[in-house]
Amino acid sequence: MAKEIFMPKLSSTMETGTLLQWFKEEGDSVEIGEPLFEIMTDKINIEVESYDEGILLKKYFGEDDQVPVNHVIGYIGIEGEDVPQEAPGVSGAETEEAAPAENPEPQLVAAGSAETAITDEKPRATPAARHLARTEGIELRDVQGSGPNGRVHKKDVTAHAESSPVEAKATPLARKVAAGEGVDLSAVQGSGANGKVVKQDVISAKRTTAPVAGTSARKKMSGMRKVIAERMVQSKQTAPHVTMTSEIDMTKVKELRASLLPVVEKQTGFRLSYTEILMKATAAALARHPEINVSLEGDEIVQHGHVHLGLAVAVADGLMVPVIKDVLAKGLAELTQDAKEISRRARENKLLPDQMKGSTFTISNVGMYAVDMFTPVINQPESAILGVGRMQDKPVAVNGALEIRPMMTLSLSFDHRVIDGAPAAAFLTELKDVLENPYELLV
């Protein structure tokens, strides 16, 4: 009997998923655990592996289609089996098959970190050989197997790697995309383990290639860019944005960072940045002004009893906002480690759904660019967001004398339906005070 393929439910709040691509065509053979299709939810790309083996009999949806969770999107079975010509709707096995979403690791792999078959015939190989081939970016079909019926063993992969000319390390999926897009893998900077090129690197390289002089380039708005566009429009249309700015003297923050740099790096292996100090200071100010740490849900204003900060991270195709939980309870060393790790996962497109939800306030830092200030768009359902501009030396009056100080501008955008001007101004003033006297964060 043909087996249903359904849109998985990856979180308790997920209602739909966007189908980005199929890795198989109708009539192709499929094995258990083989990546079958890729979806997007909450701006995360997830490759979904097959629960069953057989022939892909039917695909009901295509690229960029939004599908409700647990909705049947295809069938796997024996060649020639009859299946419905139209999508039958919600899976009849919804209750049983939705369960893996609570612990998705066995079936879900972050996009760019898994392989998919490129040919119809999957080479015979031991699990150890497959793992090594993935790690080294080697196509198993290029390896001569020494086992029964040509089965590839780990030693065969090792021998192939040692005897083959050095070439760019890449996942099979990255090679497939590169071949289709005409991208030279040797010219692509890999972001995967040991510098391996993953699919996202190829897409990024293709995106940054300038069009030929005198021509225009077009590409369909899809995937992450489409989700970002929809959310930005929704936020601006539903929430009346008001933005306040304040200039901060960062002299003492620079002193604090300089003194803590070797301490934090020794504990964590990471360098303390201004972002982590800003996060800690923001959490302290939010704790003293809880009326800013709120969300609007229907006709109710929810005042949060914790500070979960969203941290805007630029990625190849747009922007992700991973969440760092319970910032108020963490020291600068732990925050540095958390921020660096989750930013890396965002850039490598390896975030899990739980790492993208639950934020109560967001920080967007463009201080690495020549931007003094900007008006950030609120990350709903939050009610406020903090924009951080660059730090630069400026002449300022200090106790009646002119001095050169490192100054930085903060921009607070807030939803005027929920937050009034006076509380917002009080919060921004509090944050300024904390940053200009940052040593209190250590006590």
Side-chain angles (χ1 to χ4, degrees):
M1 180 179 178
K3 302 291 186 180
E4 298 169 334
I5 308 169
F6 65 97
M7 174 62 68
K9 185 178 178 67
L10 305 181
S11 69
S12 58
T13 58
M14 178 179 170
E15 296 180 354
T16 63
T18 301
L19 184 61
L20 297 182
Q21 63 176 319
W22 286 90
F23 298 131
K24 295 287 187 177
E25 299 297 332
E26 291 182 5
D28 287 352
S29 62
V30 180
E31 294 191 13
I32 293 174
E34 190 174 12
L36 185 56
F37 58 93
E38 183 180 15
I39 64 171
M40 169 175 283
T41 175
D42 294 326
K43 294 191 289 188
I44 301 178
N45 293 14
I46 299 289
E47 289 179 5
V48 181
E49 298 175 354
S50 176
Y51 293 99
D52 302 291
E53 63 181 5
I55 302 297
L56 180 57
L57 301 173
K58 190 69 176 177
K59 299 189 301 185
Y60 294 113
F61 298 94
E63 181 181 334
D64 289 337
D65 284 344
Q66 289 192 337
V67 186
V69 296
N70 298 315
H71 199 288
V72 176
I73 62 174
Y75 278 94
I76 290 176
I78 301 173
E79 188 173 1
E81 274 192 281
D82 290 331
V83 294
Q85 290 302 307
E86 302 294 334
V90 175
S91 168
E94 173 181 347
T95 303
E96 293 78 12
E97 296 202 29
E102 298 175 5
N103 185 21
E105 287 81 3
Q107 288 76 34
L108 304 178
V109 183
S113 65
E115 67 165 349
T116 183
I118 299 178
T119 62
D120 290 346
E121 291 187 14
K122 190 172 184 179
R124 295 171 58 84
T126 64
R130 292 189 186 282
H131 176 75
L132 181 60
R134 282 196 298 268
T135 302
E136 297 296 329
I138 294 173
E139 295 284 0
L140 277 173
R141 69 175 182 272
D142 296 334
V143 180
Q144 181 66 43
S146 62
N149 298 319
R151 193 179 195 197
V152 178
H153 289 267
K154 182 179 179 181
K155 64 180 181 180
D156 302 324
V157 179
T158 302
H160 178 84
E162 292 174 349
S163 63
S164 300
V166 177
E167 61 178 7
K169 288 186 176 181
T171 65
L173 182 55
R175 294 186 186 280
K176 181 180 180 181
V177 174
E181 297 290 342
V183 175
D184 180 7
L185 280 174
S186 64
V188 179
Q189 181 68 37
S191 64
N194 300 318
K196 183 186 291 185
V197 176
V198 298
K199 183 191 73 172
Q200 199 64 36
D201 300 326
V202 178
I203 294 173
S204 178
K206 178 68 175 179
R207 182 177 63 87
T208 55
T209 301
V212 178
T215 65
S216 297
R218 292 176 181 266
K219 81 170 183 178
K220 183 179 179 182
M221 179 183 284
S222 60
M224 182 185 300
R225 189 75 259 161
K226 190 174 182 180
V227 174
I228 292 172
E230 291 171 350
R231 293 188 176 179
M232 293 300 97
V233 170
Q234 179 188 20
S235 181
K236 291 293 287 186
Q237 287 182 342
T238 60
H241 284 54
V242 176
T243 302
M244 293 181 174
T245 63
S246 182
E247 199 167 36
I248 315 297
D249 184 344
M250 296 290 283
T251 301
K252 292 184 179 179
V253 168
K254 288 188 68 174
E255 294 173 356
L256 176 65
R257 178 176 179 268
S259 62
L260 291 180
L261 261 175
V263 178
V264 172
E265 190 165 10
K266 183 178 180 180
Q267 287 187 26
T268 68
F270 296 107
R271 289 175 62 83
L272 172 68
S273 71
Y274 293 109
T275 298
E276 289 84 55
I277 298 175
L278 279 164
M279 291 168 60
K280 186 67 176 177
T282 300
L286 286 171
R288 299 167 192 173
H289 296 269
E291 64 275 15
I292 307 301
N293 194 36
V294 296
S295 297
L296 182 61
E297 297 181 6
D299 60 354
E300 294 181 334
I301 298 175
V302 180
Q303 190 171 97
H304 301 287
H306 48 258
V307 178
H308 296 340
L309 289 184
L311 184 62
V313 177
V315 296
D317 289 330
L319 185 75
M320 285 188 172
V321 188
V323 182
I324 299 176
K325 305 290 179 67
D326 298 312
V327 173
L328 196 61
K330 296 179 178 178
L332 288 173
E334 188 176 2
L335 276 179
T336 299
Q337 183 164 335
D338 287 355
K340 298 294 192 294
E341 288 287 354
I342 206 164
S343 296
R344 176 188 61 80
R345 290 183 68 89
R347 286 189 292 270
E348 295 178 2
N349 206 10
K350 294 181 179 178
L351 289 171
L352 298 175
D354 283 347
Q355 294 175 310
M356 289 282 289
K357 64 183 182 181
S359 58
T360 62
F361 187 94
T362 290
I363 295 177
S364 181
N365 187 353
V366 296
M368 66 291 296
Y369 302 108
V371 176
D372 296 328
M373 59 173 288
F374 66 107
T375 54
V377 179
I378 297 167
N379 182 30
Q380 292 183 324
E382 299 164 22
S383 296
I385 182 172
L386 185 71
V388 181
R390 65 174 173 174
M391 188 190 310
Q392 57 180 332
D393 290 340
K394 289 183 177 181
V396 294
V398 180
N399 298 322
L402 193 63
E403 295 186 14
I404 302 298
R405 293 288 183 98
M407 305 299 290
M408 182 180 71
T409 300
L410 299 181
S411 305
L412 177 70
S413 290
F414 58 94
D415 185 345
H416 214 334
R417 297 174 303 172
V418 182
I419 300 173
D420 291 326
F427 164 76
L428 195 55
T429 301
E430 182 79 44
L431 181 55
K432 175 181 171 69
D433 290 343
V434 172
L435 287 171
E436 292 184 346
N437 299 280
Y439 288 93
E440 69 173 85
L441 297 173
L442 305 181
V443 298

